[in-house]
Amino acid sequence: MAKPNKKGPTRTVDVFCAKCKARLFKYRKGGKGNLIKCFVERISVDYTSNQTHCPECEQEFSRKALIRGAPALKIVGNKVTFK
């Protein structure tokens, strides 16, 4: 399978915790659909310490995975919002 594009999209979105509205990271998102997975190389600014739990409410919002050979975060359903 093909790896995701290193340069990636130029549009950035802010990702927030759905429970406490804490800012999690800035992500270069492609497309206009929901946020299902986040490739680690596309995260431009990270506000979390371990990328799987919210720094304020400690809720798990993602799981680490390998997608197409690249490290990624699989988002748990309805745990994050983005603008």
Side-chain angles (χ1 to χ4, degrees), residues 9-69:
T10 57
R11 184 180 84 136
T12 61
V13 294
D14 291 322
V15 181
F16 301 96
C17 175
K19 185 176 181 182
C20 67
K21 306 296 186 222
R23 180 183 270 177
L24 301 174
F25 45 80
K26 278 186 175 287
Y27 181 67
R28 293 193 318 266
K29 184 178 183 330
K32 56 185 177 181
N34 290 337
L35 195 62
I36 298 171
K37 61 184 174 279
C38 293
F39 290 105
V40 175
E41 61 196 20
R42 289 189 186 177
I43 295 174
S44 56
V45 181
D46 191 2
Y47 300 105
T48 63
S49 58
N50 64 359
Q51 294 183 337
T52 58
H53 289 79
C54 175
E56 292 188 16
C57 67
E58 295 298 322
Q59 172 177 281
E60 182 183 23
F61 66 88
S62 69
R63 294 184 193 95
K64 293 186 177 191
L66 277 179
I67 298 175
R68 290 182 247 146

